[in-house]
Amino acid sequence: MSSQPQGNDNPYHYTPSLAMAVVFIILYAISTLAHTYQTFKCRYKWMAVMVVGGIVELMGWAGRIWSREDMNGGGLGSGFTMQISLLIIAPTFYSAALYMLLGVVISELGPKHSPISPKIFKILFILADFLSLVLQGIGGGLASVASSDTIPDRSGIKRGGNIMLGGIVFQLVVMVVYLAYGLYFVLRSRREVEAAGSKMKLLLLGMTIASICIIIRGVYRTAELGQGFDGGLARNQLTFLLDAVPISIATFVLNIFHPSRLLPQRATPALPTSNESQSTMVGVHEKTSGSILGWRKAAPVASESSV
């Protein structure tokens, strides 16, 4: 895994490891396939955002492999721009799943313990997540355009990087607020958590682990983009694992602690079979007939002796 500079035109300042890219492509492919199946079988269809996030991660890592063949062509263009843009925005989809999930948990455990209603909570945090996605996308687009010229526009690249940095910082702040609010809610509803049982506790544990992983990655990305594409963190391939490892842990944690296993599923009432229908009708008929006959038997009968 080389981390030595490869020339002034090399945007990484190292040769991206093929082995690392293949390992994480395999990991994200496994997790994304699992999320696809889990989303299909459960009623929480909004968990499809995990599938979208996984696809974006896979495309980003494919960009790193592609960029190995484009190390000195087009400045910061092609595969490098693809991977930096996609790998930066991918975790916003995982954040969205966590925001929706806490909204459902608030509804299940008791909205009375939350200063914000579950509906408003989900709207606020999803809008914040969308805003961070837009900022990161705009920054990535500006950096891509600036780097596509024959002579890359370094000022444009820096401007795009700063906008991406703003999106990352905003996402990090929102995630920290989310985690703090979730802990506050759980403390206020601890009796309901105990009553809900072990499944709810496992779900909350998984949400906490995934949130911490996204925060760790956000801290790294903030420091990296703060230094710029030519900074020490961006030049070191090993530090890039501070993005790859936490996010892969987060996606697998949400596979294991998936709401399809740990939250109640709305069951559709089963239609009675023909035999059950006949038995029910017979029972109703007998009950009705019996009550009528009983009433008739209970009716007093006038006798000659009583007259």
Side-chain angles (χ1 to χ4, degrees), residues 12 14 220 223-224 227-237 239:
Y12 294 101
Y14 60 78
Y220 160 70
E224 179 200 37
Q227 293 180 357
F229 293 120
D230 293 326
L233 289 174
R235 289 170 174 260
N236 191 331
Q237 184 163 207
T239 60

Side-chain angles (χ1 to χ4, degrees), residues 2-296:
S2 173
S3 59
Q4 298 300 317
Q6 302 294 318
N8 293 332
D9 292 331
N10 180 348
Y12 294 101
H13 303 282
Y14 60 78
T15 301
S17 168
L18 177 61
M20 179 192 291
V22 170
V23 166
F24 282 101
I25 283 176
I26 291 172
L27 290 176
Y28 282 111
I30 293 172
S31 178
T32 303
L33 287 173
H35 276 297
T36 302
Y37 172 75
Q38 290 172 313
T39 301
F40 177 78
K41 67 174 288 192
C42 82
R43 71 182 178 97
Y44 303 108
K45 300 306 180 186
W46 42 262
M47 284 297 289
V49 294
M50 293 297 299
V51 178
V52 177
I55 292 172
V56 176
E57 286 282 353
L58 287 168
M59 292 173 63
W61 282 96
R64 283 183 73 86
I65 293 178
W66 175 26
S67 63
R68 285 172 53 86
E69 308 302 323
D70 189 37
M71 297 304 301
N72 298 310
L76 297 180
S78 306
F80 176 82
T81 302
M82 174 180 172
Q83 65 88 31
I84 194 68
S85 300
L86 295 179
L87 293 180
I88 279 181
I89 69 172
T92 58
F93 297 98
Y94 299 156
S95 299
L98 288 169
Y99 300 152
M100 290 294 294
L101 197 49
L102 183 54
V104 174
V105 168
I106 291 173
S107 297
E108 292 289 336
L109 293 180
K112 64 182 180 180
H113 297 299
S114 174
I116 308 173
S117 71
K119 182 178 180 180
I120 297 300
F121 174 87
K122 287 185 282 190
I123 291 174
L124 288 176
F125 278 86
I126 292 299
L127 285 177
D129 197 55
F130 178 73
L131 178 57
S132 71
L133 176 64
V134 169
L135 288 174
Q136 293 169 56
I138 291 174
L142 290 176
S144 177
V145 171
S147 65
S148 63
D149 298 332
T150 304
I151 301 177
D153 178 7
R154 292 288 171 176
S155 63
I157 293 170
K158 184 177 181 180
R159 189 180 309 113
N162 287 337
I163 294 175
M164 280 195 288
L165 174 61
I168 286 286
V169 171
F170 182 68
Q171 180 187 27
L172 176 60
V173 170
V174 172
M175 180 55 70
V176 170
V177 171
Y178 161 83
L179 182 59
Y181 189 88
L183 293 174
Y184 166 77
F185 171 77
V186 169
L187 288 175
R188 291 195 63 182
S189 60
R190 52 188 177 275
R191 290 184 179 179
E192 286 80 1
V193 172
E194 288 294 332
S198 60
K199 286 188 175 182
M200 179 58 73
K201 293 178 182 178
L202 286 174
L203 179 63
L204 293 172
L205 174 63
M207 292 168 62
T208 303
I209 294 173
S211 300
I212 291 173
C213 286
I214 293 176
I215 288 173
I216 291 172
R217 176 264 182 186
V219 171
Y220 160 70
R221 282 296 197 177
T222 298
E224 179 200 37
L225 290 175
Q227 293 180 357
F229 293 120
D230 293 326
L233 289 174
R235 289 170 174 260
N236 191 331
Q237 184 163 207
L238 288 178
T239 60
F240 189 69
L241 291 173
L242 291 172
D243 179 294
V245 173
I247 298 303
S248 60
I249 291 174
T251 183
F252 274 105
V253 163
L254 291 175
N255 282 130
I256 298 169
F257 301 99
H258 197 275
S260 64
R261 297 178 53 246
L262 303 177
L263 278 179
Q265 303 293 306
R266 290 176 182 168
T268 302
L271 296 175
T273 61
S274 57
N275 292 335
E276 290 174 339
S277 300
Q278 292 175 3
S279 300
T280 302
M281 293 301 295
V282 169
V284 171
H285 176 73
E286 290 178 349
K287 183 177 180 180
T288 306
S289 300
S291 63
I292 294 174
L293 291 174
W295 175 79
R296 286 177 176 174

